[in-house]
Amino acid sequence: MPVRFSVVIPNWNGERFLATCLGSLRAQTVDNIEVILVDNASSDGSRALVESKFPEVRLIELEENCGFTGACNIGLDAARGEVVALLNNDTEVDSAWVDWVLKAFDQHAEAGIVASKMLLFDRRDRFHTAGDYFTTEGRAGNRGAWELDRGQYDVGEYVFSACGGSAVYRRSMLDDIGALDNDFFFLLEDIDLAWRAQLAGYKVWYEPRAVVFHHLSATGGGVTASYHDGRNGVWLLAKNMPSTLFRKYGRRIFRRQFALLWESIKAWRGREARARMRGMVVGLLTLPRALAKRRRIQAGKRVSDEYIESLLTRV
């Protein structure tokens, strides 16, 4: 039987979360879901748990840690579904999650990506994100982060991006624009993919009835996150921001980047601050690689710069 919906779960030492995550997928109201867990050379009992408790899950065992992007792309290549979700290992999905995601794709043919309503795992009345945004100063963020859920995001709408913790993609779109950028390794890879999708004319639909509960930074963060956030933030702008918008908002963008660098310099005694500063420097030193990708991305742009500007949050 053809598979319509595939789920790819990257995992690194996430054994303590897997029973909840995989159990919630087993309880979906939609049948014939392909679940793929890509294990990034875990040293805990993740692999044994999947093999013994969830035999229906396809386990791909990597011999080295390929990062979030590497593991996701390996899973995306292996997935057979016409719709493919990336799901963090520290999540729990509502039993109707797949059903509502598929309905969103059916009802919005122009959408290449669907974003879920993500709530905090331990405080389920508060938001992690209701889809992601991108500002005119070059900053990505989560809509509604930490807000009390009062129904303010209960209406579906188009947003800039889906959080990579539960982003769902049309296979046909990925075949067109490519999957995650492996060079990113970890962090902002979801925003980068959304940028490429938006430039190519695909839209991102936020579906509030597709609900996901998420532990924040359960298997990542700290120095690693700070480094990649600093480096990838430089690459993200260099690859994707159209030239006319750079000229219009460049002063804001550079002012923010300088402010981030200055904050890191002032807090240089902190390991995270030094890691961010090191990441930003590496991002600048490796700009030629990002600019080579930029030429390909911008050459394939199918929408106007005015349209892209309309998607950005003004600050």
Side-chain angles (χ1 to χ4, degrees), residues 1 12 58 60 71-72 87 120 124-126 143 163 173 191-192 203 207 217 240 249 258 270 284 293 308 313:
M1 180 183 299
W12 179 70
R58 180 178 175 186
I60 298 177
C72 286
L87 188 66
L120 301 183
R124 299 192 172 198
D125 60 347
R126 292 199 176 267
R143 287 199 322 153
C163 171
M173 183 198 76
I191 301 292
D192 176 69
K203 294 187 176 183
E207 179 48 64
S217 299
N240 298 299
Y249 298 109
F258 180 79
L284 291 171
K293 296 176 182 178
I308 292 296
T313 299

Side-chain angles (χ1 to χ4, degrees), residues 172-210:
S172 57
M173 183 198 76
L174 296 177
D175 291 341
D176 180 22
I177 68 170
L180 303 178
D181 185 336
N182 268 336
D183 286 343
F184 275 52
F185 192 79
F186 170 59
L187 278 181
L188 294 177
E189 73 294 319
D190 48 357
I191 301 292
D192 176 69
L193 181 51
W195 257 109
R196 288 185 278 127
Q198 298 282 13
L199 289 167
Y202 296 96
K203 294 187 176 183
V204 183
W205 179 259
Y206 162 67
E207 179 48 64
R209 292 166 293 189

Side-chain angles (χ1 to χ4, degrees), residues 11-24 44 46 49 54 88-92 121-122 214-220:
N11 178 70
W12 179 70
N13 291 335
E15 177 189 8
R16 64 194 184 278
F17 303 111
L18 291 180
T20 298
C21 179
L22 297 175
S24 67
D44 64 359
S46 292
L49 183 146
F54 297 93
N88 276 14
N89 60 1
D90 56 351
T91 58
E92 177 184 359
F121 190 93
D122 296 320
H214 186 209
H215 290 281
L216 290 184
S217 299
T219 56

Side-chain angles (χ1 to χ4, degrees), residues 44 52 55 66 81 88 117 125 132 152 177 179 190 194 220 248 283 299:
D44 64 359
S52 62
C66 296
N88 276 14
K117 177 181 182 178
D125 60 347
D132 290 354
Q152 67 271 42
I177 68 170
D190 48 357
K248 184 171 184 178

Side-chain angles (χ1 to χ4, degrees), residues 120-141:
L120 301 183
F121 190 93
D122 296 320
R123 302 179 66 186
R124 299 192 172 198
D125 60 347
R126 292 199 176 267
F127 277 94
H128 169 199
T129 180
D132 290 354
Y133 61 83
F134 199 84
T135 73
T136 51
E137 65 175 4
R139 178 173 61 88

